Amino acid sequence: MNRIILIGNGFDLAHGMNTSYNHFLKDYWKNIITQLQNTASNNITSLEVVFENEEIRVDGINGPFGETTIIDATSFEDLLANLKSQNVALTFKNKFFEIISNKSHIQNWVDIENEYYSLLKSTFNNRSSSGYGTDVKALNSDFEKIKKRLIEYLKKIEAKFNENLDSNFLRTKNIIGHKIYHPFKLKDFSESSLNQKAEVEYSLIKKDIEALADEQITMDDLSEHNRRLIQIIGTKKPLTEIKKLLQSDSAINYFDLIPDQTIFLNFNYTFTDKIYNNPREFDQFNDNRYTSVKSIHIHGTTDSRDKNPVIFGFGDEIDDDYKSIEKLNDNNYLENIKSINYLETDNYKNLLEYINSGNFQVFIFGHSCGISDRTLLNTIFEHENCASIKLFYHQKAEDVDNYSDIVRNISRNFNDKAKMRDRVVNKNYCEQLR
């Protein structure tokens, strides 16, 4: 049996890496404010000064009579108010960037991929209020520019992270590492997979039990393992008793519950999973056997040497509007659809081979399981070999966590709700990420 560690942005955040979309936007505007301040203070002419980059243009940093503009702001919201009070105009050259900046400022949260898909559907439905009308090429162009900005930001954050590993990091690593490599707990598993595991374990001692019943052998003739096991479960209802023992806290003493393979399925573009690529640092349950470890960066990485380009867009083929978009016969609408871009590498094929190879458990570490990845998550969650989906939730405050939010999102990735209720581990058996 295998294990998938499904990694989302919350995994990076748990390690102190500011890699959320909100962090990206706040950092962008912080840098813009600094640049505007430098532009205003360094100007020594009476001419009107213009600041411009790929995303914005600010006209009149110094007015026609040489008035000095005072840039006194610490955020996007402050900057807008500050410039407006001095009749200085800020205009957006990138409409998409304007939309996500405004949403982030109003809601203090934004999902860039969801916003892209919403605008993509707006161009399809010719809703001019989006600012793009039917111009899908302009939307894709603006989106591509933001993707490049995001990659630059993530490279900077990861470099900073690698330079400042401290005691808090080591503590986090120790806590999370032991969760990743903990032996299976069969009480977490679906009823069908638990029964299957019990059948497998029973088949390994069935001959000994039958020989004991026929008095062909004695307990002294058994291997030490089988003798200890049969002494616990007895010979009257061995299958039932094995199932009970598998769900107990002492199961590790009688059964091999170390995953055969552990795969880090990383939805981020960073390399935080590499911190945990040596199970010997964390697994103290069986010194003779360790799980094998592999990483799949399903959405690519920021390192061009990997030949694993960043996939940034939307991945929900289940959505009704997506089916209509496909019928348009316009490839511009499919430019940033994840399930199509997965074919650029062998990552998706490797994942399919893995989940087809045998039963597996999914650990969710910091992934919201939102609809922007619904096609892929549905493939994993509803696969016949998926035995368990266990959440490691974020404890926001003493009595506040995001367990229920993630479960609601997971439900959208299931067509078969009965499977969802059987496979998703209830909160009593789940735990916080760190």
Side-chain angles (χ1 to χ4, degrees), residues 163-278:
E163 292 171 359
N164 296 284
L165 302 181
D166 56 16
S167 58
N168 288 331
F169 160 75
L170 294 175
R171 180 178 177 275
T172 298
K173 176 182 176 180
N174 186 58
I175 292 171
I176 293 179
H178 280 89
K179 295 178 192 294
I180 290 171
Y181 291 112
H182 197 282
F184 291 119
K185 295 179 181 179
L186 271 296
K187 61 186 178 183
D188 294 342
F189 281 58
S190 66
E191 192 67 19
S192 60
S193 58
L194 175 59
N195 289 335
Q196 185 179 345
K197 177 65 173 173
E199 290 279 0
V200 169
E201 295 298 336
Y202 173 59
S203 70
L204 298 176
I205 61 169
K206 182 179 180 181
K207 288 183 179 180
D208 282 351
I209 289 177
E210 290 174 347
L212 284 170
D214 294 339
E215 298 183 348
Q216 297 175 6
I217 60 172
T218 67
M219 292 291 281
D220 291 338
D221 296 319
L222 303 179
S223 67
E224 181 183 356
H225 172 269
N226 285 9
R227 182 168 61 251
R228 289 176 60 246
L229 182 56
I230 293 173
Q231 284 173 341
I232 291 292
I233 66 172
T235 58
K236 293 183 179 180
K237 295 182 179 180
L239 185 58
T240 300
E241 294 302 317
I242 284 176
K243 185 176 177 181
K244 289 180 182 178
L245 185 58
L246 280 168
Q247 297 176 82
S248 72
D249 292 336
S250 60
I252 187 62
N253 298 320
Y254 301 95
F255 307 104
D256 179 8
L257 300 179
I258 306 297
D260 296 316
Q261 290 182 295
T262 298
I263 279 199
F264 291 94
L265 184 61
N266 196 338
F267 285 72
N268 301 331
Y269 310 109
T270 52
F271 294 90
T272 325
D273 53 299
K274 287 189 175 181
I275 297 167
Y276 301 97
N277 63 6
N278 182 10

Side-chain angles (χ1 to χ4, degrees), residues 328-394:
L328 289 175
N329 197 29
D330 184 344
N331 287 342
N332 290 302
Y333 280 92
L334 305 180
E335 185 173 313
N336 293 299
I337 299 301
K338 291 178 180 177
S339 53
I340 294 174
N341 290 327
Y342 287 148
L343 300 177
E344 296 287 335
T345 68
D346 61 355
N347 289 328
Y348 190 78
K349 183 176 184 296
N350 290 337
L351 175 62
L352 288 181
E353 289 177 355
Y354 180 78
I355 64 178
N356 287 331
S357 66
N359 285 359
F360 60 88
Q361 180 182 39
V362 179
F363 276 5
I364 297 175
F365 279 17
H367 198 297
S368 68
C369 298
I371 58 173
S372 63
D373 292 311
R374 183 154 62 167
T375 300
L376 179 57
L377 294 179
N378 172 262
T379 300
I380 297 170
F381 293 165
E382 288 203 331
H383 196 281
E384 60 182 6
N385 289 336
C386 181
S388 168
I389 302 170
K390 186 170 184 175
L391 284 65
F392 291 80
Y393 52 83
H394 173 49

